[in-house]
Amino acid sequence: MLVCPHDYAKKSNHFATKFDHVITYEEVTQFLAGRASSAMEELRARLLHRAALLTQATTKARRGYEAVALADIDRFSEKYVAMLREEAIVLEPGSAMLSNGRPGERRTMIFAPNALPKWAFLPQTRLVHQLREANANINLYGWGDFFTEIAITM
């Protein structure tokens, strides 16, 4: 499922059509506002707050956005890649990990596609290390649908 602004789904239709469902921020905002109209005080306030956040995100998408590069993010990425090489971790950094000028909200390390096994039954996927709130998540997108085949192979 893809949840995104309406304009994004329309502009990136070739990408959006790859998902089973597309739900727009505007639809979610309308749903939340509708629920808020019949909710009690605290729940009403929470629903309206969530609707306002989505409206803000949609407005940001419409007016455009310019990422501000932060040197600290570049330094972190350089040290992360150096650690991979020093520890002889057999994962090739993706192009975004090797580039400079990463914006402050960038909190992911995306590895090169050849970091993954080339099993014929797997969909094209990527390995992503997400860094946020002191957590690290390794995501193998789409692999869950092939759990049985992966378990047999391993």
Side-chain angles (χ1 to χ4, degrees):
M1 178 182 305
L2 174 64
V3 180
C4 64
H6 172 77
D7 290 348
Y8 177 82
K10 187 176 177 182
K11 181 179 81 175
S12 303
N13 188 48
H14 66 284
F15 174 70
T17 57
K18 294 179 182 181
F19 290 83
D20 293 333
H21 301 283
V22 176
I23 299 175
T24 67
Y25 286 2
E26 293 85 350
E27 291 170 325
V28 175
T29 301
Q30 285 179 330
F31 172 80
L32 294 171
R35 281 214 46 220
S37 66
S38 62
M40 301 298 243
E41 277 184 44
E42 184 177 345
L43 179 57
R44 182 179 193 283
R46 289 173 184 263
L47 290 167
L48 291 175
H49 175 72
R50 290 174 184 153
L53 288 174
L54 284 170
T55 299
Q56 184 179 29
T58 304
T59 304
K60 178 180 174 182
R62 285 189 190 130
R63 73 172 181 264
Y65 168 69
E66 186 175 322
V68 176
L70 295 177
D72 287 343
I73 299 295
D74 289 341
R75 281 192 293 276
F76 177 85
S77 186
E78 289 166 8
K79 288 180 180 183
Y80 187 101
V81 170
M83 181 201 67
L84 288 174
R85 293 184 173 138
E86 286 170 18
E87 299 293 327
I89 296 173
V90 190
L91 291 173
E92 182 181 335
S95 59
M97 290 172 68
L98 301 172
S99 65
N100 286 324
R102 294 166 56 101
E105 63 277 358
R106 189 76 175 267
R107 304 268 194 296
T108 58
M109 296 295 179
I110 302 172
F111 293 90
N114 64 357
L116 302 169
K118 299 293 182 209
W119 294 330
F121 60 84
L122 283 178
Q124 182 180 1
T125 188
R126 27 180 225 179
L127 179 62
V128 180
H129 182 185
Q130 295 177 315
L131 310 159
R132 61 183 160 192
E133 299 174 11
N135 294 321
N137 302 315
I138 303 288
N139 297 304
L140 301 169
Y141 299 108
W143 285 37
D145 295 336
F146 297 92
F147 178 78
T148 304
E149 292 92 338
I150 294 169
I152 291 168
T153 304
M154 300 189 100

